[in-house]
């Protein structure tokens, strides 16, 4: 979570890579908390996300089946 604290204090956004939807939601929640602590408007800190199609060493990826990809993208959008 130190990357999120750093993004809030010094950056202009947070870019997550190959995280599960649950981890993304937790990270965004933590980002909101940290922004509140330092007095920043959360709207000034955009969040972006990269998810490879093929699973990474951590096992996170969208997959190769179109239906599976759509399901996973919808989970991230939620």
């Amino acid at each position: 979570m130190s990357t999120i604290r750093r993004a809030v204090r010094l950056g202009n956004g947070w870019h997550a890579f190959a995280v599960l939807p649950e981890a993304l939601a937790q990270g965004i929640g933590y980002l909101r908390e940290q922004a509140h602590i330092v007095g920043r408007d959360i709207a000034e800190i955009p969040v972006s996300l990269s998810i490879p199609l093929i699973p990474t060493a951590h096992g996170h990826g969208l997959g190769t089946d179109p239906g599976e990809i759509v399901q996973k993208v919808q989970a991230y959008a939620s």
Side-chain angles (χ1 to χ4, degrees):
M1 298 285 180
S2 64
T3 57
I4 292 175
R5 285 193 308 270
R6 197 168 35 253
V8 168
R9 284 184 292 117
L10 306 170
N12 60 0
W14 174 50
H15 181 78
F17 177 75
V19 297
L20 293 172
E22 298 81 18
L24 181 64
Q26 284 180 322
I28 291 172
Y30 188 69
L31 181 79
R32 288 176 202 264
E33 290 172 17
Q34 293 300 306
H36 178 73
I37 289 170
V38 300
R40 283 194 69 189
D41 181 356
I42 189 69
E44 296 175 356
I45 310 169
V47 175
S48 60
L49 174 65
S50 291
I51 310 160
L53 291 175
I54 311 269
T56 65
H58 302 290
H60 310 314
L62 290 177
T64 55
D65 174 67
E68 178 185 15
I69 292 170
V70 168
Q71 266 187 328
K72 288 184 178 180
V73 168
Q74 288 173 338
Y76 282 101
S78 295

